[in-house]
Amino acid sequence: MGKSLEVLIFGTGGESEPIFRLIGPLIAKAVGAVTAWRIAQNPAVRVSVVCRSNYEAIKANGIRLRTAFWGPGHFMPARVCRSPREVRDVPFDYIVTANKLTSSPTYSELAGLVNSRTTLVSAQNGIGIEDTLRQAFPSNTLLSAIVYISCAQPKPGIFRQPMAIKPHALGVGLSHSPLGRSEEDISRLREFCSYDEKFAMIEDIVSHRWSKQLWNGAFNTLAAITRCDSHQLLDPSGPYLAMVIGIMHETQRVAAAAGAVMPPDAIERLIELTRRRPPVQPSMLQDVFAGRPLETESLCGNVCRLAERLGINTPIMTSVYRELLALGTGKENQASVTRKPKVESPAAMVQHAAAQVA
Ligand SMILES: CC(C)(CO)C(=O)C(=O)O
């Protein structure tokens, strides 16, 4: 048997807010734990995890899961640690960053772990998400993984994957490198995708990432502001549908200018698909309810800034960005958690945004 590969998963997801455990579809980001479990099914791979609030539970009982894609499961990671410092001596082949991308990424913590052969895999939502990793580790293979599964952690160490917005869990491709792509990069990509049949290899990762951003940029942001799920946002007689479509059109223009290629009916298809699937409470709404920092920059701010650089007008997205900044990040959200929309007059916001577009 060949040498065993070492994989580290950085970030195994925050705990879901109790109200969601009782009343609604469980949707939050616990994708790190699900990915760790899937990779650990390969006998040649040893999977270690860095955990924060769920450290005690996972150290004692491992990771337990109920998933729509793969059924139930349980596994004990090879190592469970609170900090990357504890596994400094391990020569990691892959490090998967599945931590939340807030305005202060913590990649300096990874510096001591990455050797010249380590492949980095960024499994995060949004645009511009790989930039910090690329700057920190310019010559390492960097894979970009688009997450299509919704995951939650209703209790520490217990995970659910109730649904997905695509037939695969992760779409993985090579992130752009100024050094070009080497044979080694391609074989690492193939190897990573071979770990699970629901890890799909994607050639044009830029276009796929922008297609996913069409969804996240509209649904995550508006859900966080209005406290609505995906079906409520799409209600044809409700006040939000125009904004969903407006943000998607703005995103599509920025995406095209950034080199992404999408089918002309991408927006209609995405809306249709979202209507057909069960309602989703996007991860950003979960974060609002749990009082966690929001991924405002990767899901909205980075796109607004890119649009500005490219000379593209994005009035709806820009007003949504302002709302998200006003919503704040972290604990201060908890005080304002209600089932009512945060925006006093969403219709006024739609009108205001529409007037700016006209
Ligand atoms: C995959 C999906 C849509 C799951 O809800 C997501 O990306 C999110 O909520 O942020």
Side-chain angles (χ1 to χ4, degrees):
M1 206 163 99
K3 113 175 181 25
S4 71
L5 289 174
E6 295 284 356
V7 176
L8 178 71
I9 310 286
F10 188 65
T12 54
E15 203 176 327
S16 307
E17 215 284 321
I19 192 167
F20 275 77
R21 284 183 231 147
L22 300 172
I23 57 157
L26 289 164
I27 311 294
K29 265 177 58 175
V31 71
V34 177
T35 307
W37 171 55
R38 295 319 300 162
I39 296 177
Q41 304 309 303
N42 296 272
V45 184
R46 282 159 63 82
V47 178
S48 307
V49 293
V50 179
C51 304
R52 306 273 195 226
S53 56
N54 51 11
Y55 171 82
E56 300 291 351
I58 292 183
K59 180 94 187 157
N61 304 315
I63 290 179
R64 294 177 194 279
L65 312 97
R66 293 248 308 264
T67 66
F69 266 175
W70 304 274
H74 173 235
F75 94 104
M76 297 299 289
R79 303 175 198 85
V80 181
C81 51
R82 284 186 205 270
S83 153
R85 277 195 301 275
E86 293 167 40
V87 280
R88 264 189 177 210
D89 53 332
V90 181
F92 285 109
D93 295 282
Y94 290 90
I95 297 182
V96 181
T97 56
N99 55 312
K100 178 171 290 302
L101 263 189
T102 57
S103 39
S104 50
T106 49
Y107 295 131
S108 53
E109 288 185 82
L110 294 181
L113 299 182
V114 177
N115 63 61
S116 62
R117 298 240 331 122
T118 309
T119 294
L120 299 157
V121 185
S122 165
Q124 280 131 338
N125 272 337
I127 294 297
I129 53 139
E130 294 124 19
D131 296 355
T132 327
L133 273 178
R134 174 56 77 213
Q135 277 159 22
F137 309 104
S139 50
N140 286 77
T141 302
L142 175 54
L143 305 183
S144 174
I146 306 170
V147 179
Y148 295 116
I149 45 175
S150 56
C151 306
Q153 183 179 204
K155 281 190 192 152
I158 312 272
F159 295 86
R160 304 261 185 280
Q161 179 261 315
M163 54 93 72
I165 58 168
K166 287 253 176 160
H168 38 267
L170 297 182
V172 193
L174 276 179
S175 174
H176 171 77
S177 162
L179 305 173
R181 51 166 67 182
S182 65
E183 284 302 316
E184 175 72 8
D185 290 336
I186 295 165
S187 83
R188 283 308 183 98
L189 170 63
R190 287 215 180 95
E191 181 176 64
F192 187 82
C193 290
S194 73
Y195 288 155
D196 193 274
E197 58 179 17
K198 294 222 174 274
F199 294 0
M201 202 157 96
I202 289 181
E203 181 53 37
D204 183 0
I205 195 73
V206 171
S207 298
H208 280 78
R209 188 162 276 290
W210 275 104
S211 301
K212 174 83 192 307
Q213 175 65 19
L214 271 192
W215 200 97
N216 291 129
F219 286 96
N220 288 46
T221 57
L222 289 174
I225 295 169
T226 64
R227 315 283 204 259
C228 289
D229 68 27
S230 56
H231 283 192
Q232 290 165 321
L233 290 172
L234 289 180
D235 180 354
S237 56
Y240 308 119
L241 181 59
M243 289 191 82
V244 171
I245 295 173
I247 294 176
M248 285 184 163
H249 277 291
E250 290 180 358
T251 306
Q252 207 175 30
R253 284 199 292 277
V254 185
V261 182
M262 284 182 210
D265 60 348
I267 294 178
E268 291 74 19
R269 278 207 232 167
L270 213 50
I271 289 181
E272 201 32 51
L273 184 85
T274 311
R275 282 212 165 100
R276 280 205 311 269
R277 307 248 157 166
V280 177
Q281 272 146 1
S283 52
M284 203 184 230
L285 176 56
Q286 278 284 303
D287 293 337
V288 169
F289 276 95
R292 290 192 292 255
L294 305 182
E295 295 182 297
T296 300
E297 300 309 328
S298 54
L299 291 179
C300 192
N302 289 351
V303 183
C304 292
R305 276 184 289 276
L306 180 61
E308 210 175 310
R309 280 208 300 281
L310 295 168
I312 297 165
N313 204 12
T314 54
I316 308 179
M317 223 183 316
T318 306
S319 56
V320 164
Y321 180 43
R322 273 193 222 110
E323 291 289 337
L324 289 173
L325 292 176
L327 197 57
T329 55
K331 291 285 169 205
E332 70 270 24
N333 290 330
Q334 268 173 340
S336 63
V337 169
T338 65
R339 294 293 294 161
K340 292 205 186 98
K342 162 91 177 169
V343 174
E344 290 313 325
S345 169
M349 191 172 155
V350 177
Q351 270 166 16
H352 174 72
Q356 292 191 53
V357 187

